[in-house]
Amino acid sequence: MLGTSSSAHGNLPPQNALKFAKSLLENAHRASDPELAAMYFNEARAALSRMEQPTLEALLSSDGDLDQYLRSETQYVASELSKMLNSLRLQSAQAMERIADNNDLQSTDDDLLHPDDATVADPQDLQRTESDAAMIPCHIFAENKHPPAAQFTLPAHGERLKDTPQLAYCLGLLQTWRSSPDSILDPAALNWLHTTDTNEDEVERLTTLATDVILAFALNGIYDAKFIAELKGFAQVIRCAFPDFIDADDLVNILKAFKDRLRDIPEKPSQSMHELILAVSGVLDAMADVSIKDLGQKKLYDFLSEHLDGLRATSDPSLVYQAAYAYQALQHITDREAIWQSAMSRNGMTTSRHFRIMDPVNDLNLDEILGQLQTIYSESSVHSGGKIQKKNEPSLQEHLQGGCSFECKQAWYPALRMADALLRCGRFTDFKIFICGVPCRQDPVFLWGLCQCLKDVASNLEWDTGTRLNAIALLEEMYRRDEIWGDRAYIKNRIVEILTQLASLPETVKQVAETVLRRLRTNGDSEEQLMDRVYREQGPGNCPFNAAFPLLATPSLLDHVQENLDVEGRLGQLRKQGLKGRNAMYVEIQAKDSLQSLSRNQYSLMDKVKEFLSSDQKLFLILGTPGAGKSTFSRELEGDLWHSYKRLDGVIPIYINMATVDGPHEDLITKVLQNTGFSKDQISEMRRNRKFVLICDEHDQIQSNPDLYTGNMVNQAGEWNVKMLVCSRLRGDQSDYFLSTEQDRQPQPECFQQAVIIPFSADQVRNYIDRYVSIHHLPWKTDEFQRALDRHPGLEDLAKNPLLLSLALEVIPDMVDSGQQRATKKFTRVEVYDQIVEHWFHRSKERLKEQNLSPQSREAFEGLTSDGFANNGVNYLKRLAAAIYKNQDDVSTIEYSKLMDRGTWKEEYFCGDEKNQLLREASPMKCSGNKYQFIHPSLLEYGLALAVFDPQEVNKIAAPNSASRRSSVDSAMSFELNDHDEGTATVVEHSSDFRSPLSWRNFVSDPSILYFLEERVQQEPLFKQQLMAFVELSKTDKKWRTAATNAITILVGAGIQFNGADLRGIQIPGADLSHGVFDSAQLQGADLRKTILRNVWLHKADLNRSQMKGAQFDELPFLNEDQIAMSSAYSSDGKYFASAPGHTINIYTTTNWERIRTFNIGLHFHSNVAFSPGGTIIACGSGNSTQLWSVETGTRLKTITGPHLWIGGVNGVAFSPRGDHIASCSSDGTIRLWNVESGECRQVFSGHQRSVNSVVFSPTGNQIVSASEDSTVRLWDVATGVLHHTFKGHNKTVNTVAFSSRGRRIGSASHDETVRLWDAATGACRHVLRHRLEVLSVAFSPLGDTIASGSIDYSFRLWDAETGVCQHVLCGFNACIRAIAFSPDGAQIAASTDGKVRLWDSRNGICRRIPVSHVEEIQSLAISPKDGCIASGGCDMIVRIWDFDTGKCLNTLQGHEGSILSAAFSPSGDQVASGSSDKTVRLWDTTTGGCRHILCGHVNTIKCIAFSQDGGQIASGSADRTVRLWNVETGACNLTLNGYDGVAMAIMLSPNGDTATCSSSHLYRMDVHSWDAESEVCKKELIGHTNWIQSVAFSPKGDLIASASLDSTVRLWNVENGACCHVLNGHTYSVRMAVFSPRGDLIASGSRDNTVRLWEVTSGQCRAVIERFQSSVECLAWTTRSGLEYLVTGEENGTVQLLQVNEIEGQFSVRLCWNSSPPQLNVAGSSIQDVRGLSDVNRNLLIQRGAVDERVQQ
């Protein structure tokens, strides 16, 4: 044996030893790895040492008469060994570790002469190359051969298969063809593949048959006499079935069948047991060859271990070997394709091991495979406690039992799998190299299995005779060559047994086997001869032959599958349709929980639906706007479910377009299946045994009762087992849209889910465009489309809708390329639809032109073309849309019967003349039977909008005139008025024809139509006039009120403001006036019932005698408290609300918000308040105690006092969820847990280093979280007091904490101006939410998706708890937000501030109209000198450009990464510059919105910027104490000016640009600096303010400076001498900004007291106080236009206002021109005297907000 000393084996003749040593030395020289060379070195030295010792000594010496050739050869080998040793010493220390005694070895000769003293390397460590084959004689397996090919008849398409080998062969061909098209195949196979691979039905049939065979076996099992035959063929079916069709459960069921069969096998070893275990091993091998997901080892082990363990003790080694083999196969089934498996797969040795499919001589990286096996071998050796020593050699039984373990993988199993695969594929040369190089070469179990493999080859009649004889020759070599294969007696006995069995075969193999047996018996030693005699007496044993061919069939399984009821065949057709229905343009859709939710907590809709499908819930409603992707998602879901469908017991998905089904509210599934071709028996079988997912699309198009769930009686006894998904348009209240009105038939709430599809994100849009470009092969690239969208911000919203995006992508190139003017215009959605529809009809015209039309149709077509085909088509679409809305209430599906609909409105459009038929065919409609439908509902809505106003017919439309109309019925959404509602008002009714669809019904709940019309208003002045006329007509004729309601809703949505408008007597019930501006409007006697007035601006409006019953403000009156409420809370049932101002606690009922209790706590009360879970007790801290009060009686129930006095008293209290304990926190740094009943202290939580400010229980009550002045948040275990987590991140006091409703998140508010969201389980900080000043309060919404925070910066913010995005900022408070509370149902939010508790009603959700405005405070304003455009920038990092005349947002400029603190227009107005806290200045193109330059260089915030008068330079002043001058054209910095302290506040350049003047502030001091081109030439100090300076402004002439300060004053300074001219006193809070009027005679100042004051420069007197603002006025700009002066204001709440300033006879007045968007309700100064129907709650709300009711005042 190689590497073994001469003491272990007999000596070799000199010639043999020298030949062997030289061969190994050659291997060593060729080895690239030093360690490998060292191994061959050891082997060569050991081979040489096997000469007889005297002979070796003589040959190495110079004396003697020995053969000179032998002497020279021996000395040559010794010399080469010495050189090799020296070389290895130089190459690698690791290599030397492979050489015996390398530290003491002096010469190779000594080692050769004393071999017993050297330790040689273990052969299992050897690395192999191709030279390893030298261990086997060259004539054995000298070349590779093609494996024998099984001959199968390939079936015709659809032909019944004969047996499973035929099926396995077909699938093997398909897999091989797809993975390796260049495979060697016979012509018949190639011809069959060419026709089959392209036939999806046939491929699916074959694959389905294989899968069904596996499932049939797994579910039913086979227990007859054919079982073993079934298993042998069954293994090949598993290998050849497509992997995606088999899952873990299938294999587990197969093993279960094995378990049942094994139980019936007798314990005594027998032929049947051998065959069964051998067949089971083959199936396990097949399982290991395929990749199965989610398959756990324990699952597999549990099924077979019981019976395999029983085989370990049997005396039959063949049976024990098969058990060990099965154990190892089980362990490798769960591998993710190890290197040896991957190599087998790549080289066709798993799929094709029984068929001539692939080339058997492909390259194979054996080194890689052997390296992997070496790793496994090493691990198994370590596991077994090290290498086995010769002296204690275990028996064969012990070796085999070592493999019968599930704890360690043995290297012999993958080695045998590889060796077997190489033999079966005819790769004999690789086989020789592999078995010689494998690290487990002398492992007895490997040798046992290798003998079996050779036996299989020798006994396989399909192999040629030479190959079979080579196998016998190798068995003889293994018997004889002890130095290579070992000398274990039981292996030799096994070889003799195999040769004896082979001797029983006929012909040549028998003769050769008998000859080898005789030779072995003759030449063997006495021990071997004795072993041979014993074997012949015992016989050959039970181990059978395992020939690979012929394959045994599984007819019973295959016949069973093919004769089964053809439900699956029919479902296969349905599956095929479902898979084809998937849209290649599908992009993952995002959704949120509900329309009403304030959260932006979005998620993958597909993931949410799959979560629903795996739950117990039965009903899922998917809502979305038209074109949002509902149908595309439905098709994708259907395809996805079909893709993962499991035959026989899988869930069946069915997609249904509800508009195509008659009577869908009854027996829907039966109707659909019948239409698909299922028989009654099949439907009955599926009703009893199958599960369905019903995907009901376009539910809103059902014309009958839409009660699907209850009407179809699903999920009831004996009925369909269904999960139902319903897709519907988003419109109005959807919660019960498709449910029965009978409450007892509705599904329970816990069985129902809902999701609202949200618009595409920017990433989704880009992904969609990528797919669109790649699929349609357009000349435009993705970036070009993206630039077009970016260049035209009007397309942003359109691009968020998948359908509109796809249609827009067709027309955008033409729109962009149609001219320079169009390239700079912003596209709106309605403009794109104009182009889409026109493009559609042009394309339809070309299609019709090519058709073979009848003479009548051709004549009609020519007539339409001469008049303008597209114009006629658009007119048809418009008329049809109007007819649909008028006659069937906007249901877009038209069901037409020529017989039944004769004489109806449908006849005109569907059975009219030839022209109408052509136009219908050309329209964007689809037809299903007798049902017609627009390809998308948005086209119907566009058509109706066109019917309301068509720009192409502006010359034909006149404003409505009441004198020319005839009578009509009221609209569907009619507001019937009783006499007592009408009052005494006289309404004159005029006849009218109501041609405008706006007169037919109320469209307030149809946002898509309103969006189209709102865009028309912004484009077409005539349409605006028409709508104004409708409003005007409603004053005298109630028949016009529906039209007026729609008209004013559209006008307000379009941004039209009604400041000072005469709206007396208008009738607009149900109108949506959200965010509308009606400053000083006259609304006396107006009908405003059920109007939506969310955040409406009614400043100084006159509402006297108006009707306001049901008006919705979505706010509640605030609660007036005597002092600031430090805490507030709702009871758990929502009935009570507690507020804690001063030293008292006030209790209110939430039904009418009346105060019912007041608890006087005492002077030491400074904690929060907490309700008990039942709402009957309220707790608070007072001094060193905790007090409990009865809500019902108002009495104090108990005072709990601690055993020790706490320094500073109790800061916070909290009830446990069960109400039996109270936690209190104190200034002494501890939290204490008290028993409510006994008052006993149960637990003290210590660890905080300073005062603990807040404590809260987790929802389960198992944990407590606390917040402390030591800047930490800590989480404690309630039962043990153990600290779970210390949350670190805040760097200042933590004021309060809150748990989310599910206990997964913790929110903390701190003095470091942040709110942090923590993961309660891990302690990780998920988000940091930033305010501008300290944060005092934080609370989670009941759903946990929103978090609210209140700050000293006077703002109340709502954040998305999942993403950390700020959703809304509520400003206008005059004090910090001390406490926040959500009602238990989330319908109300309370915030405590400035002696008031503000309340918001969130039950009506968020209005559809999202105003365009800043979401945070505005800090910079600028006015263009050219066209008067206004630029505003703020803390939201956005610059917005506003139209001076209309207030419309023209452009949104994004790119800054910090607040925008300064802005300036260039003299030409084509550029605007913005300076930011991100230390950059950006130059923007005001037309396109593109950023021209980013000016970098400052190292701190940029506070002021100014252009030179020629526009060539821009100056920027920074807090880094420098002023920089930049070249506008290049963006380069020309000059940096230094020399001042503090922060640059204002800067001005001289007309020629050669002098710069800057004013800087440093604390309370202000300096004025002037520079010329060389250096600073002037500096003056202006001292006088007593607090920080906020802003500085130069007068137009530059001779005066106005400074605004936190000391509430404005100071006027003389630049020349630095003298203070005037101190302007009057503001009650800090002044944020002061600016000069364009003439320089006035100064305007804005303050945190929510006012603007106008001051006279010469006298310093205050000339006017403007009190119309809802929040702090942060910045101002003043301009003159057409002789009139205008003041622009920017507020803390993000509002921009344009005010016209008028002076008449010395008196100043202002008029609101426009307001960017009211962020909150403003009714200050409005008159509500004699308003009718106004609820008491709403009346109180309006009066609180400043409305005037003279009767109340009297």
Side-chain angles (χ1 to χ4, degrees), residues 658-674:
M658 302 305 298
T660 64
V661 181
D662 293 323
H665 55 286
E666 291 181 356
D667 215 7
L668 175 62
I669 303 177
T670 299
K671 293 176 181 177
V672 172
L673 293 177
Q674 285 176 342

Side-chain angles (χ1 to χ4, degrees), residues 822-891:
R822 173 65 80 177
T824 58
K825 182 179 178 181
K826 298 171 189 174
F827 301 141
T828 61
R829 188 173 71 155
V830 72
E831 284 182 302
V832 175
Y833 266 81
D834 288 340
Q835 294 293 320
I836 289 171
V837 171
E838 184 176 352
H839 177 74
W840 182 285
F841 281 109
H842 278 304
R843 191 167 54 183
S844 297
K845 182 187 75 172
E846 296 302 318
R847 176 173 52 83
L848 290 172
K849 185 178 179 180
E850 299 298 324
Q851 288 185 5
N852 185 20
L853 300 176
S854 66
Q856 296 86 350
S857 296
R858 176 63 62 183
E859 182 181 356
F861 176 75
E862 296 298 338
L864 291 171
T865 303
S866 63
D867 295 337
F869 189 88
N871 291 335
N872 282 305
V874 172
N875 185 56
Y876 175 87
L877 180 147
K878 176 177 62 177
R879 291 187 294 109
L880 177 58
I884 291 172
Y885 268 88
K886 188 172 185 177
N887 294 284
Q888 56 182 48
D889 196 22
D890 84 346
V891 175

Side-chain angles (χ1 to χ4, degrees), residues 1722-1747:
N1722 188 338
V1723 293
S1726 63
S1727 176
I1728 59 172
Q1729 185 175 350
D1730 295 327
V1731 171
R1732 305 176 63 187
L1734 191 65
S1735 67
D1736 291 340
V1737 171
N1738 282 343
R1739 185 179 296 276
N1740 291 338
L1741 170 67
L1742 297 181
I1743 291 174
Q1744 282 184 346
R1745 300 301 170 85

Side-chain angles (χ1 to χ4, degrees), residues 468-535:
R468 298 171 66 193
L469 297 183
N470 277 329
I472 296 175
L474 183 54
L475 285 170
E476 182 180 8
E477 279 291 309
M478 292 173 63
Y479 188 98
R480 292 183 179 279
R481 298 289 297 275
D482 295 345
E483 72 277 8
I484 299 176
W485 306 104
D487 62 344
R488 294 178 176 87
Y490 43 79
I491 297 299
K492 296 190 176 188
N493 187 20
R494 176 62 178 153
I495 293 173
V496 170
E497 179 184 9
I498 289 173
L499 290 172
T500 303
Q501 288 180 315
L502 293 174
S504 66
L505 295 177
E507 299 176 351
T508 307
V509 171
K510 173 181 179 180
Q511 298 172 4
V512 173
E514 290 176 342
T515 301
V516 172
L517 281 172
R518 285 194 301 270
R519 192 159 53 237
L520 294 179
R521 292 167 184 163
T522 303
N523 299 333
D525 57 21
S526 58
E527 182 181 349
E528 292 173 342
Q529 293 177 4
L530 176 63
M531 179 180 64
D532 178 56
R533 286 197 301 272
V534 171
Y535 168 74

